[in-house]
Amino acid sequence: MNDAIAFTEDQRDALQELMNISMGQAANSLAHLIETKIGISIPNITAVTPEQLFEMVRHNQEAHYTRQSFMGDIHGEVMSILSQSGLAEVAELMEYEQPLSDADIKETILELCNILAGACLSGLSEQLELTTNLQMPTLFQPEKHDFNQLGWQHSLVMEVKFDIQISSFTMRVVFCLDDASLHKLTSTIDELLG
């Protein structure tokens, strides 16, 4: 963690547990849809600069990328990184006809992001009694964007990885919060911790 964003150990543990519950709900939502088991990683919580965020997000060349902004009591952006590998099998489980057209691939990517990011954000918001509104996802290419224009100099990144066990497909969901939202988040967690 960098100096601009400092958590106490209790705050960090609480946030990690809240994220764990939210990500579990998201995995269950998708698992019910595709009727298969989904594994999730322990949430990784770090603070990064825009340059570090870019490096973190773009390291996988064989991937599809989406971004969605959210507003409300806290605001920021959700970025999702979906592996190209295994996407066709997941689309088939979602009842898309094979072979996939370009439109089907795009629709599958956006639907997966909406399910997982939506369930994650809604789970976190409900637990913290915060109001948030998630926008629809859009595809993007990290190398064509200037991450310094994202509106934050220090981001809290909460990242989790989903693995669909019957295919090679993986998806990482990265939540980015700006400083004002981070202060709101930590004060809400402090109230929760009492």
Side-chain angles (χ1 to χ4, degrees):
M1 300 291 280
N2 63 38
D3 295 338
I5 302 173
F7 276 116
T8 66
E9 197 171 325
D10 286 346
Q11 287 172 332
R12 189 187 180 93
D13 289 348
L15 182 56
Q16 198 160 32
E17 186 52 37
L18 292 168
M19 286 295 290
N20 234 352
I21 292 166
S22 303
M23 299 302 190
Q25 290 170 344
N28 283 339
S29 297
L30 184 57
H32 284 301
L33 177 71
I34 62 175
E35 298 178 354
T36 191
K37 193 167 163 72
I38 296 175
I40 57 172
S41 68
I42 293 169
N44 180 28
I45 300 170
T46 52
V48 296
T49 63
E51 294 82 10
Q52 289 167 326
L53 178 62
F54 175 74
E55 286 306 314
M56 177 203 266
V57 168
R58 70 149 200 99
H59 75 85
N60 187 348
Q61 298 301 317
E62 300 297 312
H64 301 285
Y65 299 89
T66 68
R67 59 195 295 190
Q68 306 173 250
S69 58
F70 58 91
M71 294 163 284
D73 293 332
I74 56 173
H75 52 271
E77 194 159 25
V78 183
M79 294 184 190
S80 300
I81 302 113
L82 300 85
S83 65
Q84 291 176 9
S85 155
L87 185 65
E89 292 98 315
V90 175
E92 193 169 2
L93 292 170
M94 293 168 73
E95 302 187 352
Y96 283 91
E97 286 188 22
Q98 303 292 322
L100 294 174
S101 67
D102 287 347
D104 289 340
I105 290 170
K106 180 179 177 182
E107 199 175 310
T108 302
I109 291 165
L110 297 179
E111 190 175 348
L112 284 167
C113 294
N114 233 8
I115 291 166
L116 289 176
C120 290
L121 184 63
S122 127
L124 187 62
S125 300
E126 281 169 23
Q127 292 176 84
L128 292 171
E129 297 180 359
L130 298 171
T131 304
T132 52
N133 179 23
L134 184 65
Q135 304 300 303
M136 293 302 288
T138 56
L139 292 166
F140 86 108
Q141 295 174 297
E143 64 279 2
K144 292 187 178 175
H145 287 77
D146 181 358
F147 276 48
N148 287 306
Q149 300 299 314
L150 289 176
W152 48 64
Q153 281 311 299
H154 301 284
S155 294
L156 173 72
V157 172
M158 301 180 284
E159 178 186 25
V160 76
K161 183 177 167 188
F162 294 90
D163 293 295
I164 296 180
Q165 297 187 345
I166 64 164
S167 83
S168 56
F169 179 80
T170 62
M171 178 171 164
R172 290 163 65 213
V173 177
V174 178
F175 283 85
C176 303
L177 297 172
D178 63 12
D179 290 353
S181 296
L182 182 63
H183 291 306
K184 173 72 177 169
L185 187 67
T186 52
S187 64
T188 307
I189 288 171
D190 285 343
E191 286 172 28
L192 194 69
L193 291 171

